[in-house]
Amino acid sequence: MGMFVNPDNSAFQGTVSSEIYVDKTMLLTYTNKVLGTEQRYICNSRPRRFGKSITANMLTAYYSKGCDSLQLFAKTDIAHKKEYDHLKHLNKHDVIHFDVQWCYMQAGTAEGTVSYITKVITDELQAEFSDVDLSGCFTLGGVLARITQVTGRKFIVVIDEWDILVRDESANMHVQEEYINFLRSLFKGTEPSKFIYLAYLTGILPITKLKTESALNNFDEFTMLSSGPLAPYVGFTEEEVKGLCKSYGIDFDEVKRWYDGYALGGYHVYNPRAVVSAMMRGEFQSYWSQTGSSDAIMPLINMNFDGLKTAVISMLAGARVKVKTTKYKNNMVGFKSKDDVITALIHLGYFAYEQKQQVAFVPNEEIRLELEEILEETRWNELLEFQRRSNALLEATLTMDNDAVAEGIENIHDNYTSAIQYNDENSLSSVLTISYLSAMQYYFMPIREFPTGRGFADYVFIPKPEYVKEMPALVAELKWNKRAEAAIGQIKEKKYTQALEHYTGDILLVGVSYDKRSKKHECVIEKLKK
């Protein structure tokens, strides 16, 4: 048993012993299935505090010969599924597990990281396989190849924070080249296929395209864009969060508003760190800033790409923005477009992604507050100017000044919508969303196509509990090439306010129309008489 070679199960033991532990051992049914197959190379990337290290520790505790985890896994989900025979691989394999970020720190320099990893692991392997002559082996891949050749034993390699050098040393070409060659010696080619039984890499970024891709293009990637069968193991699922809320007596709807929003496959995925903190403390707030520095995102959203800043503002207001994710090179340099920046921020967790519609959005209240705080602290001029306009629009809405609201929406439509999309019905919906950006201080994120009496209202803004007495709910309907009165009529005819019948505060009905020919907007606001 070593630090990196066939380690013990103490790290995972600490997780299982925690007051809140959510069982993710069914992930092992997938890794067991691909052992020794062409699909044995896995790169599972996700944002910070999404349980990357816990998953790596679980895999190590399960497979490592250096420990006895029979009791540790005895009551887990996979143990209860007899058809998966979890004992077949329990502590039966040679495992190498290391955290590149930790090794980076121990080495003292980026330049010394690869040599540090190679030396420490090689020394441990020599102690473990003392009868194997490792002289003449100059790479870790060469060492593993020699051991397999002599003993026939294969290895499971688990690498945590695999991308730290890719992210933090992106401009250091010497370090990049050395690290790529290190990975290539472990995972690419005929020889690695002989000694690798399973490779599991986890980090924030997917495998970098260009040079690194040639080293790791045999990996199956599971990302925040598409997690495939690993989706339920990326974070906490909605059912898991409901169970925790029941145990701790916490309002699930409030947890959902604060921490839901990441959509992977058919799952709603929650940030585990945020949910656990909310359960333990009983407080709803942003725990995101407590998990690391946000300095990396300001240079990204300040890049001078057409439409980037408008897209960020739109998503802050609750809109969804179309994004092309395929051209992003999965690194922190060489950005070519706003789509590249938004894709990077999806991987970092600041935006969520809906695969079917190919749209990005701010996932929840926690991230929205975090982004607003970052932008306000840095006095992001674009946001400050937009907030000024939005505040005026909200004030005009609350005072039922129809002409001022129409003029305000028209102004924002003119200045924040591209010419290509200007006469698009969806752009009018987006304009209405971003127009009320300042409302996010008092309202929940707007609910689009809110289910109502006999249909769906285009937008519903519901005040946060602390503002119910002073702020009315807003039910908005949009019309294209029709009068605003028609929008108000539809709200009444289809009883769009019926879903708010238990709402105790005031309700304003907001009808907005846009005439494509004249490019003029019209607004009618009525106060609902209860």
Side-chain angles (χ1 to χ4, degrees), residues 319-348:
R320 296 188 169 209
V321 173
K322 201 81 172 177
V323 58
K324 295 179 180 178
T325 63
T326 54
K327 293 185 178 181
Y328 175 54
K329 301 304 181 184
N330 297 342
N331 56 33
M332 300 307 289
V333 294
F335 293 93
K336 302 294 186 183
S337 67
K338 74 175 178 67
D339 289 333
D340 286 352
V341 174
I342 292 172
T343 304
L345 291 171
I346 291 170
H347 291 304
L348 292 170

Side-chain angles (χ1 to χ4, degrees), residues 460-516:
V460 172
F461 294 79
I462 301 176
K464 298 175 182 177
E466 59 269 32
Y467 295 111
V468 168
K469 292 184 179 180
E470 51 190 290
M471 307 296 287
L474 307 177
V475 178
E477 180 68 20
L478 313 176
K479 284 297 177 187
W480 188 259
N481 290 332
K482 293 182 180 179
R483 300 300 302 272
E485 287 86 350
I488 293 291
Q490 183 167 319
I491 293 175
K492 295 177 179 178
E493 177 188 350
K494 296 194 174 182
K495 300 181 179 180
Y496 283 171
T497 60
Q498 185 173 311
L500 299 175
E501 61 183 352
H502 299 298
Y503 179 72
T504 58
D506 293 332
I507 300 175
L508 291 184
L509 313 182
V510 181
V512 178
S513 66
Y514 170 71
D515 185 271
K516 181 178 178 180

Side-chain angles (χ1 to χ4, degrees), residues 65 127 342 417 448:
K65 282 185 174 181
I342 292 172
T417 306
R448 189 170 182 179

Side-chain angles (χ1 to χ4, degrees), residues 192-211:
S193 68
K194 295 177 182 178
F195 61 73
I196 294 294
Y197 201 45
L198 174 72
Y200 184 92
L201 276 57
T202 185
I204 293 176
L205 293 179
I207 293 168
T208 308
K209 297 177 182 178
L210 297 177
K211 288 187 177 180

Side-chain angles (χ1 to χ4, degrees), residues 121-285:
I121 295 179
T122 298
D123 288 348
E124 288 191 16
L125 286 167
Q126 184 64 86
E128 180 81 9
F129 299 91
S130 57
D131 56 339
V132 179
D133 180 10
L134 298 181
S135 60
C137 299
F138 303 108
T139 66
L140 183 55
V143 169
L144 297 180
R146 177 72 59 80
I147 293 172
T148 299
Q149 181 184 31
V150 174
T151 68
R153 288 160 66 173
K154 296 186 177 184
F155 293 87
I156 290 176
V157 178
V158 179
I159 304 179
D160 197 5
E161 298 290 354
W162 86 271
D163 61 332
I164 186 68
L165 295 177
V166 174
R167 288 185 282 120
D168 288 10
E169 298 294 330
S170 57
N172 191 329
M173 298 310 297
H174 172 71
V175 167
Q176 294 284 308
E177 194 71 32
E178 183 182 34
Y179 187 52
I180 290 168
N181 287 334
F182 169 75
L183 295 173
R184 182 180 290 115
S185 78
L186 281 176
F187 304 121
K188 190 65 185 290
T190 302
E191 289 306 314
S193 68
K194 295 177 182 178
F195 61 73
I196 294 294
Y197 201 45
L198 174 72
Y200 184 92
L201 276 57
T202 185
I204 293 176
L205 293 179
I207 293 168
T208 308
K209 297 177 182 178
L210 297 177
K211 288 187 177 180
T212 309
E213 185 177 33
S214 65
L216 302 175
N217 62 2
N218 52 336
F219 273 73
D220 285 335
E221 293 192 71
F222 304 93
T223 73
M224 295 303 286
L225 300 175
S226 175
S227 285
L230 303 194
Y233 314 116
V234 169
F236 288 173
T237 65
E238 189 156 275
E239 289 306 310
E240 289 165 346
V241 174
K242 285 181 178 179
L244 289 173
C245 289
K246 184 176 181 180
S247 298
Y248 282 82
I250 302 291
D251 182 359
F252 169 73
D253 289 335
E254 192 71 357
V255 173
K256 183 177 179 69
R257 182 176 73 85
W258 271 91
Y259 308 115
D260 184 22
Y262 297 98
L264 293 174
Y267 294 91
H268 288 259
V269 176
Y270 294 66
N271 183 325
R273 167 64 180 268
V275 172
V276 168
S277 297
M279 297 297 137
M280 298 292 287
R281 299 187 185 190
E283 297 176 354
F284 296 106
Q285 58 176 284

